[in-house]
Structures are given as C-alpha cells and as structure tokens.
Amino acid sequence: MEKICVAVRLRPPATQDSSGGTFWKVDENRVSLHKVHGTPISGVSYAFDHVFDETCSNSRVYDLLTKDIIHAVVEGFNGTAFAYGQTSSGKTFTMNGSDTDPGIIHRAVRDVFERIHMMSHREFLIRVSYMEIYNEEINDLLAVENQKLQIHESLERGIFVAGLKEEIVSNAEQVLKLLEAGEVNRHFGETNMNARSSRSHTIFRMVIESKEKDINANADVIRVSVLNLVDLAGSERIAKTGAGGVRLKEGKHINKSLMSLGNVINKLSDGAKNRGHIPYRDSKLTRILQPALGGNAKTSIICTIAPEEVHVEETKGTLQFASRAKRITNCAQVNEILTEAALLKRQKQEIEELRKKLQGSHAEVLEQEILKLRNDLLQNELEREKLETELEEERKSKLNNLGSVDTLSDFGGSSCQPQDSGRQSLKEECNDSISKSQGALFTTPSSKAAPNAFVAKRSNYSPLPSFSPLPDAFSNVVDEDTWMKMNKGYIADLDSIQMTPARKVQSFPPSDATPGNSNENHEQEVQNLKRQLELAIEERDDLKRKHDEQVRKHEEQVLLNNQLLSEISELQQEAQLIREIPQRLGECAATCKDIYVDVLSTTQSYISDEKSSVAKLLSSITEIGTSLFTTLEVDFSVPIADQRSWIQEQHKVLSERLSNTVKLLVSSETVNSEDGQARKSQECAMGGDAASWKEKLSNELNTIKERHHDLAKELDSHNQLLKNSKQRYEILETEFQLLKEERDSLHKAASESSERLLLITEQKENIVNYMKEELQRRKDLEEKIKQFSVAFCNRKTSLMSFHNEFKSKVESLKAEYGVSVPKSSNVVQ
Ligand code: ADP
Ligand code: MG
C-alpha cells in the first residue's frame, strides 16, 4: 500500500501585475497564501510531497516526481502521471514542455528506452497509443478514422479501449514522431485550439511487455505493465451559457469527466471504511484510469497553479483537490501473466519463424523488417478485435430485443434478465450466457477466452473492498455540488488565454491520415508489399552487381594466368636449350679431335722414315692432342652456341700453324737428302731443330691447356646460370600454383554468391506469398462477417414472422375470448 504522490507547481506570472493584495509563497514542500506585506493568511497553507516554484524546470519535476514511476513501469508495475489544474496554469507545459526544456512525456519515453537497454537479460515489446477524450467521446490520435471508440473490459486485458490503434515501437525517436503526428491529428480542422485543448483530456499510453531472455528461467511468465501520461482538461468551470450550442455541450461533458474524477478522488480519499461505492463508471476518463486511481498502479499527480490574483479562488480549489488526492492509497504490484493476452507471447512463434526466414539479411534490415511485420500482425489483431466487438454489440442489441419478446410472451422463459437493471456488468454476463445458449450462429470466435487460472498474478485488488471498485451503473448524474465546492466558479475566457504550443500543428491533414476503410487498408497493405518487393529487388540488384564485379575480377585473373603460362613455357624452352648446350659442346670437342687427328695423320704421311725423331715427336704430339681433345669432349659442356664457331676457328688456326710447321719440316728434309754428305752433322742439326720444334709444340700445348682452363671456367659460370634459371623457374611455378588456387577460390565464391542470391530471392518470394496469404485470410474473415450479418438478418426476419404469427394468434384469442392482452407493439422494431 502506498500513497499517491502529489505535487504542486506554480507557473511564472504571465504579466508583471503587482496590483494584487495577495501572493502565493513556496517554502520547501509547502505553499501558502500571503498578504502583500508578508503576513500569511491563516487556513490557506498546504503541504505536499513536492512544491515546485516558478523557477523550477521540467527536468527537476521529472526527476523528483515521475522518474521512479517510469523505472517501476519498466520493472512491471503499472504507472500513471496526471497533470491537473485550471486552463493556462501549465499542465501542457509540464507534460509536453518546450524545445529547450522537454516535458515529462518526452523524458519518460527516453528514460524507458534507456532503462530497457540496461536490462539486457530481458526481452521487451513496447507498444504505444495516444487518445483524446473530447465531448465524452474517445478519439484515436494515432488514427483519425478511429473515432468514438468504446471501452471494454475482459478478464485477460482488464479495461481497454476497443479498436484503439497501438503501434509497436523500438526506440524513443519513433515514439516522439508518433506523438507529433498525434498532435497534428488532434488539431486538424480546429478553429480555436485553445478551446479544444482546454476541454479535452489526452492520454498517452505505453504498454510494456517483457520476459526473461534465458529460456530456462520462467519463460512462460510475461510481465505486462501500462504507463499512462495524462494531460487533463482545464479544471475551471466553463460557462454553460457561453457561446452557442456546441460550446454548451462541450462544457457539460468536460464537467462530467472532470467532475467524475473529482468525485472518485473524493470518495477514495474518504478512507476505506466510509468509502462505499466508487463511481468509476460515471465517465470515460475515470473508467479508463480506474486502475491508476484505485488499485494496481504507482500514481503521481502534478497540480499546476497560476500565480495571478485573479485566479486565487481557482487555485484554492486546485489545492483542495490536491490535498484530497494525497490521502489516496494504492497497491501496486508487478503484473505477471501466463496467458495469451501478452502480445509478446502471441507473436513469439510468428516472429521466430520470420527470424528464420530472414536469416542471412543484415542485422538492422532484419530488425526493421521484424518490427514492421510485428506491427502488421498487431494491426490485424486490433482490426479483428474491433470487428468482433462491433459484432458483439450488434448481437447484444439483437438479443435484448429477443429478451423483451421472451419476457412478454413468457416464451422460452429466460431466467437471465438482470434483477438489478443498474448492474450493467451483470447484464453483460447474462448476455454472454444467452449468446452461448444460442448455438454456434451467435458465438463470436474469441482467441482470448481463457480460464481464470491462467492469470498468474494480475492486480488482486478486486477482492479487497478498501480499494476495490465494484462495477457501477453508468449514470449521467454527477455530483455537481462537490464540484462547485471544489471549483469556485472561475470562468475561463479561452480566447484570451495563452497556451503551450502544440508540438507541431498543421492546418491540413497528413497525407496518410485520411479516414480509411477496408479498401484503403488493403491498398496500404499492397503498398507495404510493394515496398517490401522493392527492397528485395534492390538487394538482389546489389548482389548481382557484386557478382558481376567478381566475374570481371575472375576474368582479369584468367588473363594474367595465361600471360604467366606463356612466359613460363618460354622459360622452359630456354631452359631446354641451356640443358642442350653441354651436349653440343661435347660434340664440338669430338669434331675438333677428329680434325686434329686428321691433320696429324696427314703430317705423318709426309714423313718417310717412320723411325725418325720427327715422326716419333709427331706421334707423341698426336697422342697428347688426342687425349687433350678427349678430355675436352668429356668435360666440355660450355652452353653458349656461339662458342662452337669460335672453337672451330681456333682449331683452324691451330691446324694451319701445324701444317705450316710440317711444310717447313718437309722442305728442310728434302734439302738434306739432296746434299747426302756429313750425315752426322745433319743429324745434329736435325736434333737442334727437333728441340726447337719440341719447344714450340709444348708452347702450343700450354696455349691449348690455358684455353681448356678458360673454357672450363666458362662452363662453371654457365652452370651457375642454369641453376639460377632453374630456381627462377621454380619460383614462377609456385606463383602460378598460388594464382591457380586463388582463381579456384574466386570461382567458388562466385558460385556461392549466385547460390545465395537465388536463396534470398526465394526467401523474398516466400515472404510475399505469406503476406498474400495473410491478405486472403483477412478477406475471408470479412466474408465470414458478412455471412454472419446475413444470418442475423435471416434470424430477425424469422423472428418478425414469428412475432406476427404470435400477434395474430393473440388477436384471434382476443376475438375468441374477449380478454384483454398486454400490448406488445414496442417489442420488435
Ligand atoms: P494549460 O495546459 O494548463 O492550459 P499551458 O501549459 O498551455 O497551460 O501554459 C500556459 C502558458 O504558460 C504557456 O504559454 C506556457 O508556455 C506558459 N507556462 C506554463 N508553465 C510554465 C513554466 N513553468 N515556465 C514557463 N512558462 C510556463
Ligand atoms: Mg493544455
């Protein structure tokens, strides 16, 4: 049990009017009326939970008065904050605020989402609605076509406004935008905004559902809490004979809702024992706010007062109201439910299915889509609910007529007629039981019918009389005396009053706010589907573009690969050539050897004496030369083709020099044979020549050896070159291998992306089909409703005919017996 938190806020003076004899003084949490020279006026001093002076900001008001309630709402408690006070005292300023100092609603919305982000262990679903009570009619500020909505009550949902648009939201900006749109709707077609806003009540409502994310922890228990932020109509008494009929009517209704609020507060503040019956049902406002006033909610009321002396009496009235409200106690508790009433639960399966379907899309796209689909589901549900209630109303009115016939004729003997006609709810129950006995034709299908046992922990205020509102008879009679006592007859001149400007007011309706019918809804749905399709096409095109890019890259890679391949084959050919060089050089050395042997054998053939020293020398030279060339032939592997001709040339030079030497040798021998004398001396001379020849030849041999050495060196360098080439070839080969692998992976990626593209296209098609099915389902539902109405008509016709028959029977009986029978002409109209 806790008391309602009550605060008073003093507005800054509108004008510097110092003519008055009194002023309001704020001292901590007390406000009192003082004479102008400072002495307090006795009996006019009030203390509250908070009193805010004219310098106080909305931020401070929020922190001290509302913040705790908002936090409790996120935890699962119901919460309500009212602004009460005369017109122009600052209610709207407190609730809506200004650009520089946002009001309670703005701050609460932001705070809710901040708190939610901090509670990462719970999953939340938030929906908002925004309504206005004007002329005792409830209008939807989020959907202009929803006018004159009805209040209903069910075990599952408690008290609710049937057909009121609710929008599922995921961030504060979205909510603030909806509020802005609501303001535009509110003022559409309004000639005098002051007049309307001072006579209407606005209720901004947030329903917060949450559950533990951990599936093991009580996954079936869902917390559902409701936050109401209410900007009440001006509490002043409006002149009943002010300006024409419309104004008169407005005034009367305003009084009714506010008067009921005053009466309810009065009764509730009387204390549990004296309280008696609480007239919540006297007005729409008190009915909607019933849980906030007398039960399961944390509630705060901020009473705004004007400082001007002209408003003193009105301010006193407001302070008296606030004092009474301070005595009210409520008993708030966390609402935990197990039933299907929680939207979070009803939508869970569908959402999971959608989540699966949309897997693979980007996270933010996924969330957006889910939010949109959630809202679509909710809209469908609300629409169905609205149709159901309309049908129910119709059914009740028909059955009432039926009931009259039964009573009159004693036909069917219905025992359900309520004993106390004032107990509307009993009558409703009775109607329910009638409907059940009427068979399937009259049974409205209801997904919400569930046994009481499924409600785990809803407000259990109902069995406790101290704060238990029993359903009351709806009555037009209001306790005007109390009202007069509270409001001392201040009459507001609305035209001269300055108001807090609305968030955003246009003089034309927003394009999407024209009154809709089901066709328009379908159009809307088709538009939505189109938009979804466009999104899907965009995504597909994006993927296509990416795919094409990948293909292009792949082609470039292929080109590069081919280039590298041709380079590699060239290198391979070169390597082959290099490998062949040693063999060719070997061949070359063999040829040289043959030529050398040839030359020497020719030389030997000129020598007649085979046993001469020259012949011996020649043969030894031949042997040496041959072995030299054989070594060359074996070792030769110099890989440059040009060297071959060079070697041949060298060989030629050597051969020439050798043949010259031989010629010289031969001619000198001829001269020696002609002479024939002094053979010994000749032989000596020959010996000297041979020595010089030997020397020459050994020189030649050295030259050849040197040459051989040079060639061997060259061979080494060429071998080194070959090795390097081989290494380069290997590197190129590994590079080629890598490129090949890369190309293959690109190939794979390209095929995967095209597969994904196909999959996404398929998914999108599935969604579109699903939406189409949903559309069809709705059409079917409408068709069923039509059939229903036809069945009703038929029933009515048969009843009419039965009635006529009955009437004629009565007439005939009357004629027969001459007995007077009660009139029944008003039974069936
Ligand atoms: P109500 O909604 O009670 O009829 P408003 O909120 O429209 O009254 O306030 C009337 C005028 O007084 C507006 O111009 C508003 O800006 C101004 N006003 C109200 N309260 C304050 C405040 N605390 N500080 C500054 N200006 C205020
Ligand atoms: Mg206002």
Side-chain angles (χ1 to χ4, degrees), residues 9 11-12 86-93 304 498-500:
R9 183 182 198 183
R11 159 170 71 68
Q86 71 177 98
T87 296
S88 90
S89 58
K91 297 181 296 297
T92 306
F93 184 85
T304 52
Q498 210 191 354
M499 299 280 184
T500 296

Side-chain angles (χ1 to χ4, degrees), residues 9-14 53-58 61 83-98 101 194 197-198 231-236 304-305 494 497-501:
R9 183 182 198 183
L10 186 65
R11 159 170 71 68
D53 65 14
E54 67 271 23
T55 61
C56 183
S57 65
N58 281 330
V61 173
Y84 179 97
Q86 71 177 98
T87 296
S88 90
S89 58
K91 297 181 296 297
T92 306
F93 184 85
T94 302
M95 298 312 279
N96 292 2
S98 61
D101 187 15
N194 279 3
S197 67
S198 68
D231 186 354
L232 291 169
S235 58
E236 70 280 354
T304 52
I305 54 173
L494 295 171
I497 285 170
Q498 210 191 354
M499 299 280 184
T500 296

Side-chain angles (χ1 to χ4, degrees), residues 49-304:
D49 295 307
H50 305 280
V51 177
F52 303 112
D53 65 14
E54 67 271 23
T55 61
C56 183
S57 65
N58 281 330
S59 146
R60 187 170 154 75
V61 173
Y62 177 78
D63 284 347
L64 291 174
L65 191 67
T66 330
K67 197 178 193 165
D68 288 346
I69 293 179
I70 302 303
H71 293 180
V73 169
V74 178
E75 301 283 345
F77 292 91
N78 290 336
T80 299
F82 291 97
Y84 179 97
Q86 71 177 98
T87 296
S88 90
S89 58
K91 297 181 296 297
T92 306
F93 184 85
T94 302
M95 298 312 279
N96 292 2
S98 61
D99 288 343
T100 49
D101 187 15
I104 282 174
I105 297 180
H106 187 107
R107 289 171 195 276
V109 168
R110 289 209 178 278
D111 213 0
V112 162
F113 284 99
E114 268 168 32
R115 293 298 285 192
I116 282 169
H117 285 146
M118 279 156 68
M119 293 171 73
S120 52
H121 59 287
R122 293 189 77 82
E123 181 184 347
F124 283 89
L125 179 72
I126 302 177
R127 53 205 150 111
V128 296
S129 54
Y130 193 25
M131 68 190 117
E132 173 197 58
I133 304 175
Y134 183 57
N135 275 344
E136 258 331 76
E137 280 164 3
I138 304 169
N139 301 324
D140 196 336
L141 291 177
L142 297 187
V144 274
E145 66 272 22
N146 294 345
Q147 304 262 321
K148 300 185 187 176
L149 301 174
Q150 296 302 311
I151 299 170
H152 286 264
E153 187 169 1
S154 78
L155 180 70
E156 296 275 303
R157 293 185 60 186
I159 297 163
F160 66 98
V161 178
L164 184 71
K165 181 172 176 173
E166 289 184 326
E167 183 106 10
I168 299 173
V169 287
S170 60
N171 57 54
E173 270 64 37
Q174 223 180 334
V175 182
L176 297 175
K177 265 197 195 130
L178 285 172
L179 279 165
E180 241 175 45
E183 289 294 334
V184 173
N185 289 344
R186 189 176 175 206
H187 295 290
F188 168 59
E190 201 53 60
T191 48
N192 183 348
M193 259 154 47
N194 279 3
R196 187 169 184 128
S197 67
S198 68
R199 288 156 200 212
S200 65
H201 315 275
T202 57
I203 304 174
F204 168 66
R205 181 171 270 214
M206 268 179 128
V207 181
I208 300 176
E209 294 185 6
S210 72
K211 75 174 188 62
E212 283 285 345
K213 273 185 186 162
D214 179 6
I215 44 164
N216 300 321
N218 257 345
D220 270 356
V221 178
I222 291 181
R223 287 185 188 165
V224 183
S225 51
V226 181
L227 170 69
N228 292 302
L229 299 175
V230 190
D231 186 354
L232 291 169
S235 58
E236 70 280 354
R237 188 179 152 80
I238 306 281
K240 281 190 177 180
T241 49
V246 177
R247 193 151 168 169
L248 185 69
K249 188 182 165 208
E250 284 174 356
K252 196 171 143 209
H253 281 304
I254 281 296
N255 276 342
K256 188 166 161 186
S257 255
L258 264 185
M259 245 186 266
S260 301
L261 181 68
N263 290 344
V264 166
I265 298 268
N266 257 352
K267 296 239 171 177
L268 288 170
S269 64
D270 268 353
K273 291 202 178 94
N274 317 326
R275 184 180 291 174
H277 155 75
I278 316 287
Y280 293 105
R281 284 176 176 267
D282 275 4
S283 76
K284 301 255 158 78
L285 179 74
T286 47
R287 190 80 206 284
I288 291 172
L289 298 175
Q290 184 173 333
L293 292 165
N296 180 22
K298 288 179 181 285
T299 303
S300 74
I301 301 183
I302 182 153
C303 295
T304 52

Side-chain angles (χ1 to χ4, degrees), residues 481-500:
D481 286 349
T482 319
W483 184 252
M484 279 302 287
K485 268 185 240 154
M486 276 163 49
N487 301 287
K488 301 275 173 62
Y490 166 72
I491 297 171
D493 179 1
L494 295 171
D495 298 330
S496 66
I497 285 170
Q498 210 191 354
M499 299 280 184
T500 296

